[in-house]
Amino acid sequence: MGPRPTGRGRGGPPRGGPPTRGGAAASASGGGSAVYTVSPHVTTIGVKRTAFGTSGRRMEVYTNHFAVKIPEAVIHHYDIISPSEKTLPARLNMELITTLQLSVAPDIFTPRAVYDGRKNLFAARELPFGPNIPSREFEVPFNNKSYKIRLTKVAEINPEVLARFLEGKQSHDNAVLTAITALNVVIRMEPTLKYPFNVRSFFTDKETKDIGSGIILWRGYFQSIRPAIGRMLINVDISTGTMYKSGALLDLCLEFVGRPGQHLALAPRKGFPDRERLRLQRFISGIRITTNVPGQNTQSRMPRVLKKLSTAGASDLTFTMREGGTMTVAEYFQRTYNFRLRYPEVLCAEVGSGALIPLELCFVPPGQIMRKQVPPEKTKDVLDFATKRPEDRLQSIRNGLSVLEYGQSEYVRQFGLVVDETAGPLTINARVLDTPVLRYGRGSRQPTIKPANGSWNMMDKKFYNPATIERWVVVVYERQQRFTAANAKEMVDGFTAACRDVGMIVKDANPIVRWENGQGNISAQLRDAGKECMAKSGGPPNLIVAVLPEGGTDIYTAIKQCMGVATQCLKSSRCFRARQQYYANVSLKLNVKLGGINTIPDPPSAPFLTDPNNPTIVMGADVIHPAPGSEGRPSFTSLVGNVDSDTAKYIAASSVQTSRREIIEDLHIMARHMLDMYIKYRRNVEKKANAAPKRIIFYRDGVSEGQFDHVLKQELPLLQQACEELNIKPTITVIVVGKRHHVRFFPKNPADGDRKSGNCPAGTVIDRDVGHPTEFDFYLQSHGGLLGTSRPAHYNVLYDENNFTPDGLQSLSFALCHVYARSTRSVSIPAPVYYADIVCSRAKNHYDPNERFDFSDSATDIEGSVADQSLAKFKSLFKPLHQKMATLMYFS
């Protein structure tokens, strides 16, 4: 797998000490960090774990993990090849292997092997192919077709390798990865055969919710075997599956377009718009359907895949017959089956073979996962179903064990795997970190504040560095009859008062107010507003406030094209008799957009960040990808970093790159820009003599464990190159922050949790019982929960030249979760990472709306060469950030 960084970055000394147990050891008490020792010959992808944190108040928590006893016998690994077939769906592969084991060769597959649905099969005994015969080919009949399947033995997995890894005596190499994979395939085999599944989750119809638009939610269960310190654990969680509604396909389609029961609404001849047809087609493409002609024994046993929808109804859609001549689809069913369609004007479904089938004859089998983005208007319904209070979620997980039935699974038993269900969810030790102190500006009655459970308020406080609104205009995109001049004055007064309450200077309390038509040229309207401001005040506005109607997304996007001036959009519905709290929240965003700073960490609370002798730049980086199947759309990247000495004022850079490429291609360019801006700001604005950073903390969002090595080998060198070109040599720490996991923590004693939400308090950190056996990682729940069960962030330290102790890095990360400008609550990940995510999601605003790029979440498949051309177009038309916005937090 190539050389990997070991130890602590560029030769930073590991903190040592005598181990207390075996090769991997820890001391649970004592001052400073508790020592942990990994065998010196072990190599790691990231930084090797050398200690645990010890600071903070201790508490016990439940976690959604159960202890696992790993097998003692050797596991036999086989590679599966289907030479005569292209890649088949995982569900079909599972059915083929089941047929092979039960019907074709039951004598060979006793006891039965487990299969991952792709290429890997694992057996509890060596399959009896014959003496010295490592490979065998089988012919498997299935649904009137024959499939050739070849099995080849590739390895034997000795569980001792896994045991040594858990004790810190074995590197995380391919043997360990394969062993963990095998155990996961074992536990998933039983539910995979019984229920609809999606990678690591499966779903049952025991708890469902119909949310309309042809979508039904199913309760599901996630399960994954994970290595921890000294033992294997199984992570169990509830999940949510979005399923297509079973039954008549015609009814499903009518629900989706919002016309239930109105069958002719899907008839092009009756005015069904083509754009709606395409939207519907994107929603149902890939769904499996059966067909049935009433009065005929024609129901297809094997579901067929819907490819697309016809452009015309069955009575208008003609095709050429084999014997010559043409016929409409409706005529074909009349002549062939003596069946007159009830709705001949309605669309047809085209299946993979090219056959055209009227929608009224198509049926959707139950249990089909919708692998598309949930429509935005349904997001709340999904969240309502998925959200559970901590105590309810933990109980659902306990109840899920009766569905998982590990003790009853023949596969789990025959491999010698034992899940300790009777002991229940693990109880582990956690710590609650001390909350950082925040500093506000002059004139505050309380200049410093210590948040309580991640929350505080702006009562009697002034911003640390309040901005000035020199000149501003208000543009209303609501009808004047609805949003009257009186409403506008009330909004201006409330807005102005809120800004002044927090120390901002508003020089004009009576700005120009204009009403405009949102269907017009937004850019021209904003320019006209700016000209009117020039005529009135002698200068251009430094702020445009836009009042938008409901559903004003297109107007919002067009306004954000006006990149040379700060803009603040407000919903008209929120402005009617708005509470002052609403405008106070708006002022949080507005102040930083105009160059101000809301609050900073008090220097004693964040000494690493505010050390004047070691100026530090903190960066957050992210990549966002298009929806699955959208081959014509690119991925967007972002890099955010502070320019000030207090790590409170951030700037951003964004770029467009190859679709679904996880590594940031332009990181070198963006990092050099960020570092250059940091140096200039400290030199020219703060007047610092030592302007260059001596330390870089690089938080990377959105990469899976499989990508860690790529971050080190591809992104880290780009960051280092940017430093070399600026002739600076800062020490670098690289940390991956992950939120896409299923690890949860629950207060064992309700008195230790948040009184309102029942979650663990903000600042809860866990770095022991569920941590990685050899690498420096930890979980930090930095925010106070509001709804549902809070998800902690998972921090993996990949590279560290700054020689962080666990306590130091945990406290630093927690402090950075408190400087998110848009809120008076700590957030779930450090502010620069949060900002990077926002910048990525708003990258579409760098395009002219008139170009009509499709940024919807619907999939659009196109050929590779066309995709390359489309990417080139996206890159060429990506507008760079306006120079006036380059030093401002325009993304707030």
Side-chain angles (χ1 to χ4, degrees), residues 549-580:
E550 288 299 317
T553 306
D554 291 341
I555 302 174
Y556 174 89
T557 301
I559 287 172
K560 293 304 175 181
Q561 287 293 304
C562 184
M563 301 292 272
V565 59
T567 57
Q568 182 62 57
C569 295
L570 309 176
K571 283 187 176 180
S572 61
S573 58
R574 299 295 303 275
C575 294
F576 289 115
R577 294 177 294 280
R579 295 182 179 179
Q580 200 62 17

Side-chain angles (χ1 to χ4, degrees), residues 20 66 124 184 212 261 280 337 374 396 458 469 474-475 608 737 740 821 887:
T20 59
F66 300 82
N184 274 302
L280 174 61
Y337 300 108
V374 175
S396 289
M458 287 293 298
I469 303 176
V474 178
V475 183
F608 187 93
V737 186
R740 286 176 285 191
T887 59

Side-chain angles (χ1 to χ4, degrees), residues 424-445:
L426 288 179
T427 298
I428 62 175
N429 293 310
R431 294 173 289 115
V432 182
L433 301 179
D434 192 30
T435 306
V437 174
L438 303 178
R439 178 166 291 279
Y440 279 89
R442 294 177 182 174
S444 301
R445 181 178 296 179

